[in-house]
Amino acid sequence: MHREELTRWVGDTDAFLDRYWRTTPAVFRPAPGTGPTAPLTLEEIDTAIAGGLLRVPHLELARAGDPVHSSRYTRARTVAGVTTPGYADPDRVRGLLAEGATLVLRNAEHWHPATRALTRALEAELGRRVEAFFFVTPPGAQGLDLHRDDADVLLLQHTGSKHWTVRGGPTGPDWAPGEVTDGGPALLTGTLGPGEVLYIPRGFAHEAVGGEGLSSHLSLTIREVGTQQLFASLQRLLLGSLPVPGRPLGDDDLHAAAASLLDRFRTRLPELTAADVVEHARRAQLAEGTVPGLGSDPGIAALAARLGTPHGSPATAVVREGGNP
């Protein structure tokens, strides 16, 4: 399978999947003009925040591992008489950045079309859901303490530099994402500059500190399904379109419904494989992450074109009595 987008990030994709995927952190330095570019620029972030429509939880600020309370960088807006809190306040956001807080834009693919195009391309190549997070960190600042993510991470340094430390992964299947006090010995340390890529395997503990200049980087989290998703997929595969009454009345109906379920399970179970269940769970996870309508046709402009709506033509003046428009 040709993985054009992944190639921009890691070069030889076969070597990446064989040598690093899920096992080893690594830094990749694509040749000039061949690597990925950040679809979301600092100027676009400025515009988005200044526009005032970004809200918590798509926007967050943190300092030294602790989230800054949203009341310190958001304000309420009143529309049609309804007041809603949580909208970004541009002045407060800039002030906290100047004081050393880290700005985190979560799931930028939800509202930024170019970022969504990137995540969709990687989803098609990897068969997993991909989400995009953008971090802006002042020099010497640390937004998050040592922590584990429930995802493989590909991150691209966009501006400035950042010093990274990646430690070991979980020792067994019963682990949880979040902060850790001891991630074991460092497996990788180094400073990333613009255009360089870092890969962190799922669950490997890591932390970073802003270097020279204002650091900004794009983190792509590559999600994997877990046991809960496998169980849900197994239920759907076993039941299919079997019509089962929601509330059987009486013992006879209840036993009939149970018998119908057992018959279906006995028929379907021998036909299913572990690969069937995993594939179904991954497809379901991809579908859950789809943003309805973003970049799709029909959009409003496409609908106007199909309806033959005049576009950009000067308005026609209305002539009132007396000859004056």
Side-chain angles (χ1 to χ4, degrees):
M1 175 182 180
H2 182 57
R3 297 182 172 92
E4 182 177 352
E5 186 58 48
L6 185 61
T7 299
R8 294 190 181 97
W9 290 72
V10 301
D12 187 333
T13 57
D14 289 334
F16 168 72
L17 295 172
D18 289 341
R19 295 175 55 189
Y20 302 108
W21 180 250
R22 294 282 166 85
T23 61
T24 308
V27 173
F28 300 92
R29 296 181 172 88
T34 66
T37 57
L40 183 60
T41 66
L42 293 180
E43 290 76 14
E44 287 178 301
I45 292 174
D46 273 336
T47 300
I49 292 175
L53 294 182
L54 271 183
R55 293 187 60 200
V56 174
H58 281 118
L59 171 140
E60 181 181 293
L61 283 110
R63 181 189 287 124
D66 293 323
V68 177
H69 195 276
S70 61
S71 63
R72 296 190 58 195
Y73 57 87
T74 64
R75 57 174 294 182
R77 288 182 175 270
T78 302
V79 180
V82 178
T83 300
T84 307
Y87 288 94
D89 184 306
D91 292 334
R92 292 178 179 179
V93 170
R94 296 187 191 104
L96 286 166
L97 272 173
E99 294 173 8
T102 290
L103 170 65
V104 184
L105 297 180
R106 299 184 177 279
N107 291 99
E109 77 279 2
H110 287 179
W111 54 271
H112 189 252
T115 301
R116 181 55 182 160
L118 169 61
T119 58
R120 278 182 172 168
L122 281 172
E123 284 175 346
E125 294 177 8
L126 295 171
R128 274 87 163 171
R129 192 168 83 198
V130 179
E131 300 172 348
F133 299 78
F134 205 90
F135 294 78
V136 181
T137 305
Q142 181 172 349
L144 303 177
D145 287 335
L146 185 69
H147 66 283
R148 303 186 191 276
D149 290 323
D150 191 12
D152 292 88
V153 179
L154 276 173
L155 64 89
L156 168 68
Q157 188 70 26
H158 178 47
T159 65
S161 65
K162 204 164 196 179
H163 184 79
W164 290 85
T165 301
V166 183
R167 301 183 184 276
T171 57
D174 295 322
W175 64 281
E179 290 187 10
V180 295
T181 55
D182 181 13
L187 303 179
L188 182 152
T189 59
T191 299
L192 253 63
E196 296 181 329
V197 173
L198 172 63
Y199 168 65
I200 304 173
R202 181 187 182 198
F204 278 51
H206 56 279
E207 59 185 335
V209 178
E212 295 182 359
L214 185 66
S215 168
S216 65
H217 77 266
L218 172 68
S219 282
L220 299 179
T221 58
I222 305 163
R223 302 293 182 186
E224 184 57 282
V225 297
T227 304
Q228 185 176 357
Q229 290 83 10
L230 293 177
F231 181 67
S233 284
L234 180 59
Q235 286 181 301
R236 295 187 184 102
L237 287 168
L238 286 172
L239 288 173
S241 58
L242 178 68
V244 180
R247 296 176 179 84
L249 296 173
D251 284 354
D252 289 345
D253 291 339
L254 194 62
H255 282 83
S260 178
L261 288 172
L262 286 171
D263 288 343
R264 172 60 67 93
F265 289 2
R266 291 188 186 104
T267 301
R268 289 287 289 140
L269 268 176
E271 302 172 352
L272 293 175
T273 66
D276 293 332
V277 179
V278 170
E279 182 183 0
H280 186 279
R282 286 175 175 166
R283 288 201 311 268
Q285 186 189 59
L286 281 170
E288 289 170 1
T290 299
V291 181
L294 186 58
S296 65
D297 184 27
I300 295 174
L303 177 60
R306 282 197 300 276
L307 295 175
T309 307
H311 179 68
S313 55
T316 301
V318 176
V319 179
R320 299 188 180 92
E321 288 186 31
N324 295 318

PDB file of all heavy atoms in Angstrom, residues 247-266:
ATOM      1  N   ARG A 247     -38.924  -4.944  25.296  1.00  0.00           N
ATOM      2  CA  ARG A 247     -39.505  -5.245  26.606  1.00  0.00           C
ATOM      3  C   ARG A 247     -40.512  -6.389  26.470  1.00  0.00           C
ATOM      4  O   ARG A 247     -41.730  -6.162  26.426  1.00  0.00           O
ATOM      5  CB  ARG A 247     -40.183  -3.996  27.184  1.00  0.00           C
ATOM      6  CG  ARG A 247     -39.225  -2.855  27.459  1.00  0.00           C
ATOM      7  CD  ARG A 247     -39.979  -1.617  27.950  1.00  0.00           C
ATOM      8  NE  ARG A 247     -39.061  -0.526  28.227  1.00  0.00           N
ATOM      9  CZ  ARG A 247     -38.596   0.325  27.309  1.00  0.00           C
ATOM     10  NH1 ARG A 247     -38.977   0.182  26.041  1.00  0.00           N
ATOM     11  NH2 ARG A 247     -37.765   1.282  27.631  1.00  0.00           N
ATOM     12  N   PRO A 248     -40.015  -7.628  26.429  1.00  0.00           N
ATOM     13  CA  PRO A 248     -40.940  -8.771  26.302  1.00  0.00           C
ATOM     14  C   PRO A 248     -41.925  -8.813  27.477  1.00  0.00           C
ATOM     15  O   PRO A 248     -41.560  -8.536  28.624  1.00  0.00           O
ATOM     16  CB  PRO A 248     -40.000  -9.983  26.320  1.00  0.00           C
ATOM     17  CG  PRO A 248     -38.660  -9.443  25.924  1.00  0.00           C
ATOM     18  CD  PRO A 248     -38.608  -8.050  26.463  1.00  0.00           C
ATOM     19  N   LEU A 249     -43.180  -9.183  27.176  1.00  0.00           N
ATOM     20  CA  LEU A 249     -44.219  -9.272  28.194  1.00  0.00           C
ATOM     21  C   LEU A 249     -44.426 -10.733  28.581  1.00  0.00           C
ATOM     22  O   LEU A 249     -44.744 -11.577  27.738  1.00  0.00           O
ATOM     23  CB  LEU A 249     -45.529  -8.677  27.670  1.00  0.00           C
ATOM     24  CG  LEU A 249     -45.506  -7.179  27.352  1.00  0.00           C
ATOM     25  CD1 LEU A 249     -46.812  -6.767  26.686  1.00  0.00           C
ATOM     26  CD2 LEU A 249     -45.276  -6.367  28.627  1.00  0.00           C
ATOM     27  N   GLY A 250     -44.202 -11.067  29.835  1.00  0.00           N
ATOM     28  CA  GLY A 250     -44.434 -12.424  30.306  1.00  0.00           C
ATOM     29  C   GLY A 250     -43.243 -13.332  30.089  1.00  0.00           C
ATOM     30  O   GLY A 250     -42.349 -13.070  29.280  1.00  0.00           O
ATOM     31  N   ASP A 251     -43.267 -14.456  30.812  1.00  0.00           N
ATOM     32  CA  ASP A 251     -42.147 -15.393  30.762  1.00  0.00           C
ATOM     33  C   ASP A 251     -41.973 -16.021  29.383  1.00  0.00           C
ATOM     34  O   ASP A 251     -40.846 -16.233  28.920  1.00  0.00           O
ATOM     35  CB  ASP A 251     -42.342 -16.495  31.801  1.00  0.00           C
ATOM     36  CG  ASP A 251     -42.030 -16.015  33.214  1.00  0.00           C
ATOM     37  OD1 ASP A 251     -41.548 -14.862  33.341  1.00  0.00           O
ATOM     38  OD2 ASP A 251     -42.261 -16.779  34.168  1.00  0.00           O
ATOM     39  N   ASP A 252     -43.077 -16.363  28.733  1.00  0.00           N
ATOM     40  CA  ASP A 252     -42.966 -17.016  27.428  1.00  0.00           C
ATOM     41  C   ASP A 252     -42.246 -16.111  26.426  1.00  0.00           C
ATOM     42  O   ASP A 252     -41.344 -16.558  25.693  1.00  0.00           O
ATOM     43  CB  ASP A 252     -44.357 -17.379  26.901  1.00  0.00           C
ATOM     44  CG  ASP A 252     -44.989 -18.514  27.685  1.00  0.00           C
ATOM     45  OD1 ASP A 252     -44.250 -19.191  28.435  1.00  0.00           O
ATOM     46  OD2 ASP A 252     -46.213 -18.705  27.559  1.00  0.00           O
ATOM     47  N   ASP A 253     -42.641 -14.845  26.366  1.00  0.00           N
ATOM     48  CA  ASP A 253     -41.997 -13.914  25.444  1.00  0.00           C
ATOM     49  C   ASP A 253     -40.536 -13.687  25.822  1.00  0.00           C
ATOM     50  O   ASP A 253     -39.670 -13.556  24.948  1.00  0.00           O
ATOM     51  CB  ASP A 253     -42.737 -12.567  25.450  1.00  0.00           C
ATOM     52  CG  ASP A 253     -44.114 -12.668  24.809  1.00  0.00           C
ATOM     53  OD1 ASP A 253     -44.324 -13.623  24.029  1.00  0.00           O
ATOM     54  OD2 ASP A 253     -44.968 -11.802  25.092  1.00  0.00           O
ATOM     55  N   LEU A 254     -40.252 -13.616  27.117  1.00  0.00           N
ATOM     56  CA  LEU A 254     -38.877 -13.403  27.567  1.00  0.00           C
ATOM     57  C   LEU A 254     -37.989 -14.572  27.180  1.00  0.00           C
ATOM     58  O   LEU A 254     -36.872 -14.395  26.675  1.00  0.00           O
ATOM     59  CB  LEU A 254     -38.877 -13.202  29.081  1.00  0.00           C
ATOM     60  CG  LEU A 254     -37.592 -12.651  29.707  1.00  0.00           C
ATOM     61  CD1 LEU A 254     -37.287 -11.265  29.172  1.00  0.00           C
ATOM     62  CD2 LEU A 254     -37.730 -12.617  31.230  1.00  0.00           C
ATOM     63  N   HIS A 255     -38.492 -15.801  27.381  1.00  0.00           N
ATOM     64  CA  HIS A 255     -37.701 -16.979  27.006  1.00  0.00           C
ATOM     65  C   HIS A 255     -37.549 -17.084  25.496  1.00  0.00           C
ATOM     66  O   HIS A 255     -36.510 -17.521  24.985  1.00  0.00           O
ATOM     67  CB  HIS A 255     -38.363 -18.251  27.566  1.00  0.00           C
ATOM     68  CG  HIS A 255     -38.108 -18.458  29.023  1.00  0.00           C
ATOM     69  ND1 HIS A 255     -38.839 -17.853  30.012  1.00  0.00           N
ATOM     70  CD2 HIS A 255     -37.162 -19.206  29.663  1.00  0.00           C
ATOM     71  CE1 HIS A 255     -38.389 -18.217  31.195  1.00  0.00           C
ATOM     72  NE2 HIS A 255     -37.362 -19.046  31.013  1.00  0.00           N
ATOM     73  N   ALA A 256     -38.566 -16.674  24.751  1.00  0.00           N
ATOM     74  CA  ALA A 256     -38.469 -16.702  23.288  1.00  0.00           C
ATOM     75  C   ALA A 256     -37.405 -15.726  22.796  1.00  0.00           C
ATOM     76  O   ALA A 256     -36.646 -16.039  21.868  1.00  0.00           O
ATOM     77  CB  ALA A 256     -39.828 -16.350  22.678  1.00  0.00           C
ATOM     78  N   ALA A 257     -37.333 -14.561  23.416  1.00  0.00           N
ATOM     79  CA  ALA A 257     -36.312 -13.592  23.029  1.00  0.00           C
ATOM     80  C   ALA A 257     -34.916 -14.112  23.346  1.00  0.00           C
ATOM     81  O   ALA A 257     -33.985 -13.983  22.535  1.00  0.00           O
ATOM     82  CB  ALA A 257     -36.548 -12.262  23.750  1.00  0.00           C
ATOM     83  N   ALA A 258     -34.753 -14.754  24.524  1.00  0.00           N
ATOM     84  CA  ALA A 258     -33.461 -15.324  24.895  1.00  0.00           C
ATOM     85  C   ALA A 258     -33.064 -16.440  23.930  1.00  0.00           C
ATOM     86  O   ALA A 258     -31.902 -16.547  23.513  1.00  0.00           O
ATOM     87  CB  ALA A 258     -33.512 -15.848  26.331  1.00  0.00           C
ATOM     88  N   ALA A 259     -34.033 -17.286  23.550  1.00  0.00           N
ATOM     89  CA  ALA A 259     -33.752 -18.373  22.612  1.00  0.00           C
ATOM     90  C   ALA A 259     -33.342 -17.833  21.253  1.00  0.00           C
ATOM     91  O   ALA A 259     -32.445 -18.375  20.588  1.00  0.00           O
ATOM     92  CB  ALA A 259     -34.979 -19.277  22.481  1.00  0.00           C
ATOM     93  N   SER A 260     -34.007 -16.767  20.821  1.00  0.00           N
ATOM     94  CA  SER A 260     -33.662 -16.160  19.533  1.00  0.00           C
ATOM     95  C   SER A 260     -32.229 -15.631  19.547  1.00  0.00           C
ATOM     96  O   SER A 260     -31.478 -15.803  18.576  1.00  0.00           O
ATOM     97  CB  SER A 260     -34.639 -15.031  19.222  1.00  0.00           C
ATOM     98  OG  SER A 260     -34.298 -14.394  18.007  1.00  0.00           O
ATOM     99  N   LEU A 261     -31.834 -15.006  20.652  1.00  0.00           N
ATOM    100  CA  LEU A 261     -30.460 -14.511  20.770  1.00  0.00           C
ATOM    101  C   LEU A 261     -29.462 -15.663  20.754  1.00  0.00           C
ATOM    102  O   LEU A 261     -28.430 -15.605  20.069  1.00  0.00           O
ATOM    103  CB  LEU A 261     -30.314 -13.705  22.058  1.00  0.00           C
ATOM    104  CG  LEU A 261     -30.992 -12.337  22.096  1.00  0.00           C
ATOM    105  CD1 LEU A 261     -30.932 -11.749  23.501  1.00  0.00           C
ATOM    106  CD2 LEU A 261     -30.332 -11.378  21.108  1.00  0.00           C
ATOM    107  N   LEU A 262     -29.748 -16.703  21.497  1.00  0.00           N
ATOM    108  CA  LEU A 262     -28.829 -17.840  21.543  1.00  0.00           C
ATOM    109  C   LEU A 262     -28.679 -18.490  20.171  1.00  0.00           C
ATOM    110  O   LEU A 262     -27.570 -18.862  19.761  1.00  0.00           O
ATOM    111  CB  LEU A 262     -29.324 -18.865  22.563  1.00  0.00           C
ATOM    112  CG  LEU A 262     -29.129 -18.492  24.042  1.00  0.00           C
ATOM    113  CD1 LEU A 262     -29.852 -19.493  24.936  1.00  0.00           C
ATOM    114  CD2 LEU A 262     -27.638 -18.462  24.381  1.00  0.00           C
ATOM    115  N   ASP A 263     -29.789 -18.648  19.456  1.00  0.00           N
ATOM    116  CA  ASP A 263     -29.717 -19.230  18.116  1.00  0.00           C
ATOM    117  C   ASP A 263     -28.847 -18.381  17.203  1.00  0.00           C
ATOM    118  O   ASP A 263     -28.029 -18.910  16.432  1.00  0.00           O
ATOM    119  CB  ASP A 263     -31.127 -19.346  17.515  1.00  0.00           C
ATOM    120  CG  ASP A 263     -31.942 -20.443  18.176  1.00  0.00           C
ATOM    121  OD1 ASP A 263     -31.334 -21.306  18.840  1.00  0.00           O
ATOM    122  OD2 ASP A 263     -33.183 -20.426  18.032  1.00  0.00           O
ATOM    123  N   ARG A 264     -29.020 -17.043  17.274  1.00  0.00           N
ATOM    124  CA  ARG A 264     -28.202 -16.172  16.429  1.00  0.00           C
ATOM    125  C   ARG A 264     -26.731 -16.287  16.805  1.00  0.00           C
ATOM    126  O   ARG A 264     -25.867 -16.367  15.926  1.00  0.00           O
ATOM    127  CB  ARG A 264     -28.674 -14.724  16.573  1.00  0.00           C
ATOM    128  CG  ARG A 264     -27.768 -13.689  15.889  1.00  0.00           C
ATOM    129  CD  ARG A 264     -27.653 -13.937  14.378  1.00  0.00           C
ATOM    130  NE  ARG A 264     -28.900 -13.723  13.711  1.00  0.00           N
ATOM    131  CZ  ARG A 264     -29.269 -12.573  13.154  1.00  0.00           C
ATOM    132  NH1 ARG A 264     -28.447 -11.550  13.170  1.00  0.00           N
ATOM    133  NH2 ARG A 264     -30.426 -12.465  12.556  1.00  0.00           N
ATOM    134  N   PHE A 265     -26.414 -16.284  18.096  1.00  0.00           N
ATOM    135  CA  PHE A 265     -25.022 -16.369  18.527  1.00  0.00           C
ATOM    136  C   PHE A 265     -24.389 -17.687  18.078  1.00  0.00           C
ATOM    137  O   PHE A 265     -23.237 -17.715  17.622  1.00  0.00           O
ATOM    138  CB  PHE A 265     -24.912 -16.229  20.043  1.00  0.00           C
ATOM    139  CG  PHE A 265     -25.200 -14.833  20.551  1.00  0.00           C
ATOM    140  CD1 PHE A 265     -25.565 -13.813  19.679  1.00  0.00           C
ATOM    141  CD2 PHE A 265     -25.119 -14.548  21.898  1.00  0.00           C
ATOM    142  CE1 PHE A 265     -25.847 -12.538  20.138  1.00  0.00           C
ATOM    143  CE2 PHE A 265     -25.391 -13.267  22.375  1.00  0.00           C
ATOM    144  CZ  PHE A 265     -25.760 -12.263  21.494  1.00  0.00           C
ATOM    145  N   ARG A 266     -25.128 -18.797  18.215  1.00  0.00           N
ATOM    146  CA  ARG A 266     -24.579 -20.101  17.811  1.00  0.00           C
ATOM    147  C   ARG A 266     -24.298 -20.135  16.309  1.00  0.00           C
ATOM    148  O   ARG A 266     -23.346 -20.779  15.857  1.00  0.00           O
ATOM    149  CB  ARG A 266     -25.558 -21.208  18.184  1.00  0.00           C
ATOM    150  CG  ARG A 266     -25.715 -21.445  19.679  1.00  0.00           C
ATOM    151  CD  ARG A 266     -26.549 -22.702  19.947  1.00  0.00           C
ATOM    152  NE  ARG A 266     -26.833 -22.860  21.373  1.00  0.00           N
ATOM    153  CZ  ARG A 266     -28.005 -22.590  21.946  1.00  0.00           C
ATOM    154  NH1 ARG A 266     -29.016 -22.176  21.171  1.00  0.00           N
ATOM    155  NH2 ARG A 266     -28.182 -22.755  23.226  1.00  0.00           N
TER     156      ARG A 266
END
